[in-house]
Each structure stands twice: as structure tokens, then as C-alpha cells.
Amino acid sequence: MRVLVIGSGGREHALLIGLSKDPSVTELHAGPGNAGTSSVATNHPVDLASSDAVVSLAQSVAADLVVIGPEVPLVLGVADALRDAGFATFGPSAAAAQIEGSKAFAKDVMAAAGVRTAHAEVVDNPAKLDAALDRFGPTWVVKDDGLAAGKGVVVTTDRAVARDHAAECLESGHPVLLESFLDGPEVSLFSLVDGTTVVPLLPAQDHKRVGDNDSGPNTGGMGAYTPLPWLPDEVTRQIVDEVVTPVAAELAARGTPFSGLLYAGLAIGADGPAVVEFNCRFGDPETQAVLALLKSPLGQALNATATGTLDQLPPLEWEQGAAVTVVVAAENYPGKPRTGDVITGADGAGVLHAGTARNADGQVVSSGGRVLAVVGTGSDLAEARAQAYERISTVKLPGSHFRTDIGKAALDGRITL
């Protein structure tokens, strides 16, 4: 099976490494990939937002399966174009990808499916903003209604900060979503979905804030760990039964069945799980940790999803123990990151590339905000953390920063239901 993975981040590097371990995968291609993916796949330059360009690339490599990593090409309909051209494609249609592309659409789907989520209002007129803000608080949750790469959300107890973010979104032409604050620890649950068939992966927890102890602004994610020692298996089953399966059924009933990876981000409060957001693709950096523990052949699982045979897939098998991912970010991230700095130690075990490229001398350099994701595994969370931070100590990138507390609250028993 020849597989083409679309994307250039750490998620795509993790997918390619997982696919390389599947004996049924004979050839791997990445478009465009990064400096790290070239060690496991053939990189090809491509505009991943162009349906024509992606279809042309799939044709040129004679792909048997195309896996779309990022949300932008999915929302733009690249998966539709690939399917129309006859390619087995892992990733939802543009219509189904609205579960991430429009938060208002996601709210409507959840309401129809009877899924618990925060109370929300859409504001599309600056004149209505102040009155709407007065109906929320004392903690305000303000979301850009469109795609924002994980950074379009502000959660704050400062009304002025909430208003500034909302006004900025409105000035850029995007409606904003105001939500009631959901309390409780957050969980990311990935599920393979093929119409109404749902196969959950291991639950993980992301760390969105840039600094230790959840300080500073939101980012695309600074690290993750799996599994969650504080989350009972029955709660995971409850999420599948009461959240993922009803949403998949509702999308199918609307004539827009979901095919690909449905990501549910949830808060587990006193009344049980409630949805914070849905994404239409593998999350980054949770993917790097989750796939590090997958024993089953990844290519066969993704292909079964893409070809409508997920109900025939054998139960997924997982390694015992835990995995931890720590993101190494460039100077100034999540603001405008400094790029072009030479990285050393980026070829070590467990080091996945995200924002990297090669300069004219062939050296690996930084090319984005989240530059690397370093993964550690072990028999438990403590061992996995220790390995991740031991590996990160060998990576050198001028001005870079990373969180030192990924998974620590769980390890210390500070997360409880």
C-alpha cells in the first residue's frame, strides 16, 4: 500500500512513523512534509490548500491511500476532490469538517444530538458585543468562529481582555462565539469514525497554555500525555456512547457522514463530560503521544476508515505504560516566532519534527512556532516523563522554550474527578 500524508507538522511526522511500522505499507510520501519526515518518506512540495495540486500529487505517486493531517485542506474540500478522483482518503468531506470549521455549526449538531456542551451565543455585530458579554462571566470564553489553529480561544476572568479578543475577531470579519465556562479537567478523545461506526483511541490530555502551571496565553498545544491515570474506563465509554456516537449519527442523518478522525475535546465536570470543542482531524501534540503506544497496524486502521470497512477492523491493541510529548517552541511563540535558527540534536530517538526545514547548507533550521515534539515512553507516567525530558536535553535551538510540567499534575495526583 502506497500512502501519501498531507501536512508538514509534528502530527504528520508521527503518522508517517506509525505508518512505516505497518508491514502492509510499502511506500510513504509526504506533501510537503518537513526536515524530519524525509527520513521516513519522500517529501514533495505541494500547496496543501489546493485541491488540484493535492490530487495531482496523489496521481503522480499512485497513492493507494491519502491521509490528510491538517484542518485547513479538509475544510476547503480537498478530501472531496481526492474521493472524486478515485482515491481512498482518510479525512472528512468539507461539509462534515464544519464540525471544526464552524463552531456555530458544531453547537447546532450537538443540540440536535442531545450532547452536553456549554451555553453559547454567536455575536456577528460589534454593536451587540457589550450586551452579550454582560450575559456571561465571571469567566469569559471567547472563540473565533472560524479556524484559528488552536489559538483563537481566550479564557479569562478579565472582561476587558475578553472584549478585546472578541472585537479583534469581529474586525477581521469573523463572528465570535461566547460560551459559559466549563469546569473540570480536560480530555482529548480521538475516534476513528466511518459513518456511524466509532473506534476510540486512548484518551489524552493537552497542555494549551504556553507556560508552566498553565500560565500565559493559549497556544496550539505545548505537550500531552496518555493514558490518563485519573480517568476511569467507564468515563471513556460514556464519552463514546453519549458524545461521539450521537454526533456521528447526527452528521450521518444530515447526509454529511463523517469519515476520518473525530476529535472530541471535553471537560469532565461534576455532571459528567461536556464538549468544549470538536476537531475534524488528529490533534497535535496528542497524536505524537497516542500513536507512540499503538501496537495495531496504523495503515490498516486508516485504510479501513477510508474505505468504509471500519466495522471489520480487529480491536485495536496498545502497548502497556504511558507516553509523554513535550513541544519545543521557537523564541517569541505564540507570538511571531523567530525562525531560521540552526537546530542540533533533532535526529535523536523520539524527536519529531514540526516547524523545521533545511537551509542552503543542508542544516536543519526552525521554520515555525512549534518546532519539535519530543516523545518519551515508559512503564508508567513517571518513566515516560523522565525519558521525554532526558531526550529534550540533547536538543539545542537558540531562544527556544518548553514546558517542564507536562503530565506532572496527573503524576502528583492533583487531577481528580
Side-chain angles (χ1 to χ4, degrees):
M1 181 165 55
R2 293 179 297 276
V3 184
L4 168 62
V5 175
I6 299 299
S8 62
R11 161 186 49 219
E12 288 75 36
H13 195 180
L15 285 164
L16 287 160
I17 289 173
L19 288 163
S20 71
K21 298 174 183 177
D22 184 335
S24 71
V25 175
T26 55
E27 206 173 290
L28 281 172
H29 298 270
N34 58 44
T37 60
S38 60
S39 64
V40 289
T42 302
N43 285 353
H44 303 268
V46 69
D47 177 0
L48 54 75
S50 166
S51 293
D52 290 345
V54 174
V55 169
S56 178
L57 175 58
Q59 291 168 336
S60 70
V61 302
D64 299 305
L65 172 67
V66 182
V67 179
I68 302 178
E71 62 275 21
V72 170
L74 292 168
V75 170
L76 292 176
V78 173
D80 303 80
L82 285 162
R83 290 193 183 95
D84 288 345
F87 291 99
T89 303
F90 183 89
S93 65
Q98 286 302 299
I99 197 75
E100 177 172 1
S102 168
K103 294 172 181 64
F105 173 82
K107 290 290 185 184
D108 186 63
V109 169
M110 284 186 274
V115 171
R116 290 186 66 246
T117 187
H119 166 68
E121 285 185 35
V122 177
V123 180
D124 57 7
N125 185 333
K128 299 178 180 178
L129 178 57
D130 285 305
L133 285 168
D134 289 343
R135 291 190 285 272
F136 290 83
T139 298
W140 284 267
V141 180
V142 184
K143 297 182 177 182
D144 187 325
D145 188 50
L147 295 178
K151 292 174 286 188
V153 180
V154 164
V155 180
T156 180
T157 56
D158 188 326
R159 188 184 187 281
V161 171
R163 192 187 190 287
D164 287 347
H165 181 62
E168 183 181 340
C169 293
L170 291 167
E171 286 170 12
S172 67
H174 293 191
V176 294
L177 201 72
L178 302 182
E179 285 190 349
S180 57
F181 178 66
L182 293 174
D183 206 359
E186 292 198 4
V187 173
S188 300
L189 184 66
F190 300 166
S191 296
L192 303 176
V193 176
D194 159 24
T196 56
T197 302
V198 173
V199 176
L201 308 188
L202 292 179
Q205 187 176 59
D206 188 9
H207 295 60
K208 283 291 188 187
R209 301 282 186 171
V210 71
D212 283 1
N213 301 311
D214 295 326
S215 61
N218 268 351
T219 70
M222 293 299 294
Y225 66 97
T226 188
L228 309 181
W230 48 269
L231 187 73
D233 290 344
E234 56 264 29
V235 176
T236 302
R237 288 192 292 270
Q238 182 184 5
I239 294 169
V240 173
D241 293 343
E242 298 181 7
V243 175
V244 185
T245 299
V247 164
E250 174 63 21
L251 288 170
R254 292 178 178 218
T256 56
F258 192 97
S259 174
L261 193 289
L262 187 57
Y263 166 135
L266 311 109
I268 314 298
D271 295 328
V275 174
V276 175
E277 64 176 353
F278 275 106
N279 291 332
C280 63
R281 38 67 191 185
F282 278 101
D284 187 340
E286 299 101 319
T287 300
Q288 292 89 312
V290 171
L291 293 187
L293 297 182
L294 181 65
K295 288 174 65 175
S296 298
L298 178 61
Q300 294 173 38
L302 302 186
N303 190 59
T305 307
T307 57
T309 58
L310 189 56
D311 59 346
Q312 300 170 33
L313 186 72
L316 295 179
E317 296 182 12
W318 301 92
E319 301 284 358
Q320 296 296 309
V324 171
T325 300
V326 183
V327 169
V328 178
E331 185 174 343
N332 295 328
Y333 179 79
K336 184 178 181 181
R338 195 174 86 185
T339 60
D341 290 308
V342 174
I343 308 165
T344 58
D347 56 352
V351 180
L352 305 183
H353 291 232
T356 66
R358 292 190 184 274
N359 62 16
D361 298 324
Q363 297 169 300
V364 177
V365 297
S366 57
S367 65
R370 292 187 296 167
V371 182
L372 301 168
V374 181
V375 181
T377 57
S379 62
D380 57 22
L381 184 55
E383 279 191 14
R385 268 179 47 83
Q387 186 181 79
Y389 285 107
E390 179 184 351
R391 288 173 167 176
I392 216 168
S393 68
T394 67
V395 175
K396 305 301 178 188
L397 170 61
S400 64
H401 58 96
F402 59 89
R403 283 184 58 160
T404 66
D405 65 343
I406 304 300
K408 192 171 189 306
L411 182 64
D412 294 345
R414 287 184 281 124
I415 303 179
T416 56
L417 295 183

